[in-house]
Amino acid sequence: MEKGYRLLERIELGEPKNCYEKVVSHQHLVESIHLHLADLLNTHAGNALIDGEYGLPDFNDVLANNTNLVRHLQQNIRTTVEKFEPRLQGVEVQYRQDHHNPLLLSFGISGEVLHNGGKVPMSINVFMGVDGQFNV
């Protein structure tokens, strides 16, 4: 089943409750996923009332206990996106090392979106700044 707008988007648009699959265009679907990923990746697990696991874990604890931070971040991003963004399938997260800016952690999130009976590839660049926030 193709998935369209998220619940709050449908409420905001005044769509009927049975229109979960209805999305006007591929561009609107991609924008909706993009906005949701920005919210999802910048929410710490335990801070969302809807689900205690929604969001990423606090990486301050990871810094002290983990020798391979990048791999840990990749796994957490992939697991979180797979669990909370069902519109993006076949999720892969790749680390993109930037030799010119070693303090900036960059990742590429890619997968496929079902739309109008077909699979459309989608990729998003994500940057984790020194403040721990993700720029999507």
Side-chain angles (χ1 to χ4, degrees):
M1 173 174 67
E2 292 185 17
K3 296 172 175 63
Y5 291 118
R6 295 173 52 228
L7 173 63
L8 294 178
E9 291 170 324
R10 292 192 317 267
I11 292 171
E12 185 178 287
L13 294 169
E15 297 289 340
K17 66 180 182 179
N18 62 350
C19 75
Y20 183 65
E21 299 175 23
K22 179 183 174 188
V23 174
V24 177
S25 72
H26 175 71
Q27 179 181 351
H28 286 110
L29 180 59
V30 169
E31 287 174 7
S32 173
I33 293 170
H34 186 269
L35 290 171
H36 181 232
L37 289 178
D39 289 341
L40 177 63
L41 297 177
N42 284 305
T43 300
H44 290 287
N47 288 345
L49 295 176
I50 192 168
D51 188 331
E53 294 181 10
Y54 182 88
L56 290 171
D58 186 354
F59 293 119
N60 288 326
D61 297 334
V62 174
L63 289 172
N65 300 326
N66 199 317
T67 56
N68 194 336
L69 175 64
V70 171
R71 187 175 353 174
H72 190 78
L73 285 169
Q74 276 180 279
Q75 291 171 344
N76 276 283
I77 292 169
R78 183 181 49 79
T79 303
T80 300
V81 171
E82 286 176 341
K83 184 171 183 177
F84 293 104
E85 183 46 85
R87 299 173 293 179
L88 189 59
Q89 299 178 350
V91 176
E92 292 184 22
V93 179
Q94 298 294 322
Y95 172 62
R96 297 184 176 158
Q97 189 171 7
D98 185 351
H99 296 288
H100 300 291
N101 194 354
L103 295 179
L104 183 71
L105 293 175
S106 176
F107 299 92
I109 301 173
S110 62
E112 294 179 327
V113 178
L114 295 177
H115 188 254
N116 291 333
K119 292 183 179 179
V120 180
M122 178 179 175
S123 63
I124 297 174
N125 293 321
V126 178
F127 306 95
M128 183 179 179
V130 292
D131 60 355
Q133 293 291 304
F134 283 92
N135 296 311
V136 180

